[in-house]
Each structure stands twice: as C-alpha cells, then as structure tokens.
Amino acid sequence: SAMDIVFGNRSGPLGRPVAMASFVGEALFWGPGPSTGKSVNLGLHLANAILVYLLILAVLRGFQSSAPRACALIATMIWCWAPLQLSTVLYHVQRMTLLATFFYLLSMLCYIQARLSKAGSGRWFYFFGCALSFVLAIGSKEIAATLPIALILVETVFFQDLSDPGVRKKMLIVFAAGAAGIVLLGSILFLRGNPLSVLNGYRTVDFSPLQRLMTQARVLVLYITQVFYPTPQRLSIEHDVDISASLMTPWTTLPALLIVCGLVVLGLMLLRRRPLLGFAITFFFLNHAIESTVIPLELVFEHRNYLPTLFVFTPVAVGFKWVFDYYQSKNRLLYFIVAGFFCLLIFWLGTGTYLRNYAWQTERTLWTDADGKAPGMSRPLSSLAWAVYEKNGRYGQALLFYQKALQLKMHRKYRRASLYNNIANIYFLLGDYRSAEEHWQRAIKLNPKSPNYPYHLAVMLHRQGQRDRALVLLDRVLARRPAEFNYLNLRGIILLHQGERHQALV
C-alpha cells in the first residue's frame, strides 16, 4: 500500500518518509516513468533556485551590499546552471536531496524573517515555520541534520557583533553546545543512542574510518575543482578513487588534507573580517560533514555538492558586480570585456550542462560514459550487464560483463556477492545448475545476512527435485528470520510436493 511505501522504506535510519511520499504522489497523479520523475525533479530544482535567490538576497541585504538583487541573481544563475547539479536533478532517487534542500532553504528563510520581525505572533509564526521545515527536511534526507548549526552560523554572522570579544566567546559556546546537541540528537534518532554504532557499516567495506577520512580530503578537493571547473569530461556517476592507505599513499593525501584544513580555518577566520566569504566557505564544509567524513557511505557522489554549494557563488557574484561598477566609470572597453566574459561564462555553464545531459539519455549511455571515465571500477560494467544485456535476454554478453566486473575494484563486499548472485541467476536460466549453485554459495559466503541468495538457491534446488536440501537451506534462514514470507511460502510448497499437507499448512 501507499502507507507501507511511505513509512516502510529502509533508505536511511528514519526511512525518509517525506521523499517517499513524493514518489507515491508522483505515481498516483502522473503515473510512474522516468520522464515524470525527471520533470518533478526539475520543478523542485527551479523551486530551489527561487529560494536560493531569496536567501542570498536576504543575506546581501543584511550586509548592506550594493545592488543585492543583481548579485543574488548572478549567484543563483551560476548555481542553478552549473553542470555539477545535473546528477541531482536527473538521478530520480535524488529527489531526496532536492526535497531536503528545499526545506533546508525554507527553514533558513523563516529563521532570518523571524529575526527581522518585531516581537509578536508574526515572529513566532516564522519560528514555527523554521522548526516545521527542519522536520520535513530531516524526513527527506538526513543531510539536513546540519541545519541547526547552519542557523547558529547565520545568527553569528548576520545578527551578532563579532568585533565584541564577549559576543565571540558567547557564540563559540553556543556553537559548541549546538554541535554537541546535534551529535546527541543524531545518535538517538539515527544510531539508537549509540554513536559508535556508525562503525558497524565498516564490516561491509574494505577501508577503515581513518582511511575514509583521509580519502575524503582528496574527494573534497575533487569536488572543489568540479565546482569551479565543471567540464563534462570531469563529471561522472562513478569515479575511480584509490583508498588513502596512509598520509603518503597516494602522495596527494597529505596535500589534500592540508588544503581542506587550511580552507576550514580560513573560513572561520574570515567570518569576522570578510563575513560573506567566510560564511560561504564554512557553509560548504559544514554541509559535507555528514557525507564526507567517517560515516561509511560510498566514497564519491557528485550530488553531495548540491546543498553545500548554495552560497559558494555569492562572493563570486559580488566580485563580478564590483568589477562591473568599477570599470563602468573607469574604462568602458574593459567594462564591456568583463560583461562579455560573464555572458560567456553563463553560456559555457549552460552548454556544459546541455552536453552532460546526453550521457543521461539512457542507461546504456550513462554507464558507457562512466566506464570510459572510471575503467577500473566494477559498477559501470555490472550496471551495463544488467540494464543493457541481462534485462533484454542477452545472457551471454551479460555474463562476460559480470565476470569482467569481478576483476575490477569495488569498495563494498556486498557488491561482489551481488555479482555472484547475478552470475548464478544467468547460469540458472541457461540450465547450468552446477555453476549456478557454485556462484550462489559464493554469494552466501560473502554476504550471509542477505535473505535473497539462499532463497534463489532453494528455488533452484526445489525445481531440481532436491527438496530435502532446499528445506535445510530454508530452515537455516528461518531460524534467524522466522517472519520471511517468501521462505515460509516456498517451504509450504515443498512440503506439499512431499505429501506433508498438515506441516505445509502450519
């Protein structure tokens, strides 16, 4: 049912019910399909662009910036048209990121409006909107957990006098208390009260928390270069990133750590003297704190930059406007050159986004593009094997791709098990039951907690007439998971075939 989909999702600790409700609503009102999903995502991206414009406008007015509307429009255009945002819009499931960003922005706008309003019911209305938007953002995706810290940052930069040492000390205490509160709330909501449980995810990956942290420094540097040099050749749904085994392996690890740490310190130092630039830098790294630190997620995904880059282009826009104004009165030729450069920049971004869109036309073009840019990774080949060949009955070609993917890099152990499962399924369809069983046994050994692989093997054994072996396999899983419907159903069918009707009904 629709309610089961909304509240029964396993993506994230809270199930992301707001995002799942949007998928249900999309299917009910417009019907399922990739074009519908992309249209809804594009609409959300445009809505986010409007909120980005309003938020940057509010920020610039707080700084009493000249021509805030023009600066806000320039910054929003660059953010909205950047090719880096394309994966968020066209990747259907990243509706979660789009919605989380939408409510994140709405919450920040409500907070700023509440602080600017006079005391009374109007102010409390905006504070309520701020809190409600935060809940909806968390219900869309857990990346919104950084919002309270972002609001403290807004309060510190826009509404407090940082030239006063007493104010700086007070806000430092508030920031520390807020960070501790977020960690406590996050451990209760997401980690069942045990912050160390986040380390459980490392059982399924081939890197340690320290190695991931070092690797993410290099990934963050990659993101920064993609933000400011987003050519389609540098963008991909998959990136081949080696694990940082030490500070010098690979050699870029230490320089990347120094760059990231230096930028974080620079951002914090600039909050008082160059607050707009300091805010943009700090906001960027704050919103990478969840997905780009020690939580054992996938190493690289371009959509993770969607929220962090909201304010990155604001100082750029202010700089453009200052140059425009300066040369407008000083040198008309240079003024037109700068204006022409800005037009070329927007055209270049738009062209890059348009060209990058070609890679997302079909599953074949997407994964072929990824395979060309990350030939050492197994995911593009395995995705091509499934989407292009296995799904269309071309089992021989799919088998070759799966077997080649087994030889390539994958940072999650369950992916190798999944490949063995897919290979076993093809052998089963081709009638090679011995090879099918061999590969399912390998999948079970690599991922013994998955209920799918033993079930598929039990189905094959049942069809072969090896029902006693199938029952042993089923009972082994049911001893751990007694409510598995598929297992219970298959067990009943096998017992019926064996003439044990009473036990089958039980």
Side-chain angles (χ1 to χ4, degrees), residues 60-61 63-72 317-318 321-322 325:
L60 292 175
R61 283 175 172 170
F63 284 121
Q64 297 181 343
S65 174
S66 61
R69 292 180 183 273
C71 292
V318 172
K321 185 63 175 64
W322 182 87
D325 292 343

Side-chain angles (χ1 to χ4, degrees), residues 188-477:
I188 294 173
L189 289 178
F190 307 144
L191 305 174
R192 298 179 181 179
N194 180 16
L196 295 180
S197 66
V198 71
L199 301 179
N200 293 338
Y202 282 92
R203 297 171 183 170
T204 62
V205 297
D206 61 356
F207 48 83
S208 68
L210 180 59
Q211 288 174 335
R212 189 182 197 278
L213 194 61
M214 291 190 295
T215 304
Q216 284 305 300
R218 292 167 41 233
V219 172
L220 284 169
V221 171
L222 169 66
Y223 290 157
I224 293 169
T225 61
Q226 287 180 318
V227 168
F228 293 103
Y229 185 55
T231 60
Q233 293 76 18
R234 304 185 68 243
L235 304 176
S236 177
I237 195 172
E238 183 79 1
H239 289 269
D240 189 351
V241 176
D242 291 325
I243 302 297
S244 291
S246 68
L247 290 176
M248 300 305 296
T249 311
W251 70 267
T252 52
T253 302
L254 182 58
L257 281 167
L258 293 175
I259 291 171
V260 170
C261 292
L263 286 173
V264 171
V265 172
L266 177 65
L268 293 173
M269 291 177 61
L270 289 174
L271 287 176
R272 183 160 65 98
R273 295 188 176 181
R274 296 287 185 273
L276 191 61
L277 181 58
F279 179 78
I281 296 173
T282 306
F283 188 87
F284 176 83
F285 287 105
L286 170 64
N287 283 285
H288 271 299
I290 292 179
E291 295 180 305
S292 298
T293 50
V294 296
I295 298 176
L297 305 170
E298 296 291 343
L299 292 176
V300 188
F301 270 134
E302 291 169 1
H303 67 257
R304 291 176 183 167
N305 292 282
Y306 191 78
L307 176 59
T309 55
L310 291 178
F311 296 99
V312 164
F313 302 110
T314 305
V316 176
V318 172
F320 264 123
K321 185 63 175 64
W322 182 87
V323 172
F324 287 157
D325 292 343
Y326 179 82
Y327 285 115
Q328 188 174 19
S329 57
K330 300 286 185 178
N331 190 318
R332 298 288 291 178
L333 177 61
L334 287 177
Y335 168 77
F336 285 114
I337 291 175
V338 171
F341 173 78
F342 174 74
C343 293
L344 285 175
L345 173 64
I346 297 299
F347 177 77
W348 176 64
L349 291 173
T351 302
T353 300
Y354 179 79
L355 293 175
R356 178 65 187 146
N357 185 63
Y358 278 104
W360 286 81
Q361 283 187 322
T362 65
E363 288 180 291
R364 178 192 285 270
T365 58
L366 178 64
W367 293 112
T368 300
D369 174 80
D371 184 48
K373 294 172 180 175
M377 301 301 293
S378 70
R379 187 183 175 210
L381 273 183
S382 61
S383 298
L384 277 170
W386 161 248
V388 179
Y389 299 110
E390 183 179 352
K391 199 161 63 172
N392 295 312
R394 300 171 64 182
Y395 300 127
Q397 192 68 32
L399 193 59
L400 289 174
F401 272 55
Y402 283 135
Q403 289 171 337
K404 185 177 179 182
L406 279 173
Q407 311 305 316
L408 301 177
K409 284 190 295 185
M410 56 192 86
H411 298 306
R412 289 193 177 273
K413 298 174 184 176
Y414 73 79
R415 280 202 174 149
R416 190 172 299 278
S418 178
L419 284 174
Y420 280 128
N421 173 68
N422 292 347
I423 292 172
N425 187 59
I426 290 178
Y427 277 128
F428 173 66
L429 293 172
L430 294 175
D432 187 348
Y433 299 132
R434 182 177 178 180
S435 296
E437 180 175 351
E438 177 188 342
H439 284 84
W440 267 319
Q441 292 289 6
R442 291 181 182 179
I444 293 170
K445 184 177 180 180
L446 284 174
N447 190 2
K449 291 186 178 181
S450 172
N452 296 322
Y453 311 146
Y455 177 76
H456 294 155
L457 178 55
V459 169
M460 188 190 74
L461 293 173
H462 165 56
R463 292 186 181 181
Q464 285 183 283
Q466 301 184 48
R467 297 189 176 92
D468 289 335
R469 287 187 63 197
L471 284 175
V472 171
L473 195 61
L474 293 173
D475 290 340
R476 192 182 303 162
V477 175

Side-chain angles (χ1 to χ4, degrees), residues 22-98:
S22 78
F23 291 128
V24 171
E26 171 191 314
L28 290 176
F29 289 102
W30 295 289
S35 59
T36 301
K38 290 179 182 179
S39 298
V40 174
N41 281 12
L42 180 59
L44 279 170
H45 180 56
L46 295 177
N48 285 337
I50 294 171
L51 291 179
V52 168
Y53 170 78
L54 294 175
L55 190 56
I56 293 176
L57 184 61
V59 167
L60 292 175
R61 283 175 172 170
F63 284 121
Q64 297 181 343
S65 174
S66 61
R69 292 180 183 273
C71 292
L73 182 60
I74 291 171
T76 303
M77 288 174 64
I78 298 175
W79 177 83
C80 185
W81 288 10
L84 191 60
Q85 316 296 17
L86 195 69
S87 63
T88 312
V89 178
L90 296 185
Y91 206 161
H92 194 177
V93 75
Q94 290 315 317
R95 173 80 51 81
M96 299 171 179
T97 298
L98 291 164

Side-chain angles (χ1 to χ4, degrees), residues 110 113-114 117-131:
C110 286
Q113 191 59 46
S117 301
K118 296 180 180 179
S121 58
R123 168 175 280 193
W124 287 110
F125 171 79
Y126 285 115
F127 276 130
F128 174 77
C130 174

